[in-house]
């Protein structure tokens, strides 16, 4: 499949596909005329990458975790593990943000927010 065909099938621009290739997320082979030729399964891979981005994964995370999923005999459990780890990371970030929010709320309630409650007493 040529890059234009993949762009049409995936809804991504040619530039985005070239970027994915530069990042090692997808691969093509070069035809004699220099055109990129992508395997048919690349369309499915691009959809996976887009879905993973929508779920909060960075391209670096996708690139790091992709081989384990694609190389697994049954990718379901490998994908479930990757999603579970991401969920734990998000929960940890939420907890850290809640703690930060609490600290900020406490400072807003003091006479001098820069000093905090301990310095104001």
């Amino acid at each position: 499949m040529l890059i234009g065909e993949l762009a049409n099938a995936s809804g991504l621009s040619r530039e985005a596909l070239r970027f994915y290739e530069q990042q090692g997320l997808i691969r093509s082979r070069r035809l004699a005329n220099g055109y990129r030729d992508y395997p048919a399964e690349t369309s499915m891979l691009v959809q996976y990458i887009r879905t993973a981005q929508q779920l909060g994964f960075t391209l670096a995370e996708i690139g790091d975790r992709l081989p384990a999923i694609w190389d697994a005999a049954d990718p379901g459990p490998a994908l479930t593990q990757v999603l579970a780890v991401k969920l734990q990371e998000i929960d940890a970030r939420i907890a850290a943000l809640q703690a930060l929010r609490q600290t900020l709320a406490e400072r807003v309630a003091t006479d001098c927010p820069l000093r905090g409650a301990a310095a104001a007493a």
Side-chain angles (χ1 to χ4, degrees):
M1 155 179 332
L2 299 177
I3 193 167
E5 296 167 327
L6 182 57
N8 288 335
S10 66
L12 290 176
S13 69
R14 294 171 190 212
E15 292 77 23
L17 294 170
R18 286 186 195 105
F19 180 76
Y20 281 6
E21 191 169 352
Q22 288 172 347
Q23 299 302 306
L25 299 171
I26 61 174
R27 293 186 185 144
S28 68
R29 66 180 179 94
R30 294 292 184 147
L31 299 176
N33 59 7
Y35 290 178
R36 288 175 166 88
D37 183 39
Y38 295 92
E41 62 271 8
T42 305
S43 182
M44 184 176 70
L45 179 56
V46 168
Q47 291 305 317
Y48 163 78
I49 294 167
R50 292 183 74 191
T51 300
Q53 285 183 292
Q54 291 169 349
L55 292 173
F57 288 87
T58 66
L59 289 179
E61 289 173 323
I62 294 167
D64 289 344
R65 294 176 173 108
L66 188 63
I69 294 168
W70 286 102
D71 293 341
D74 181 9
L79 183 56
T80 298
Q81 178 62 28
V82 166
L83 294 176
V85 168
K86 185 65 172 179
L87 185 59
Q88 291 172 347
E89 291 171 4
I90 290 171
D91 286 342
R93 286 179 28 208
I94 289 171
L97 286 170
Q98 287 174 330
L100 177 60
R101 186 194 185 288
Q102 180 63 34
T103 301
L104 287 171
E106 290 168 1
R107 286 184 178 247
V108 165
T110 66
D111 290 336
C112 182
L114 291 178
R115 290 190 193 161

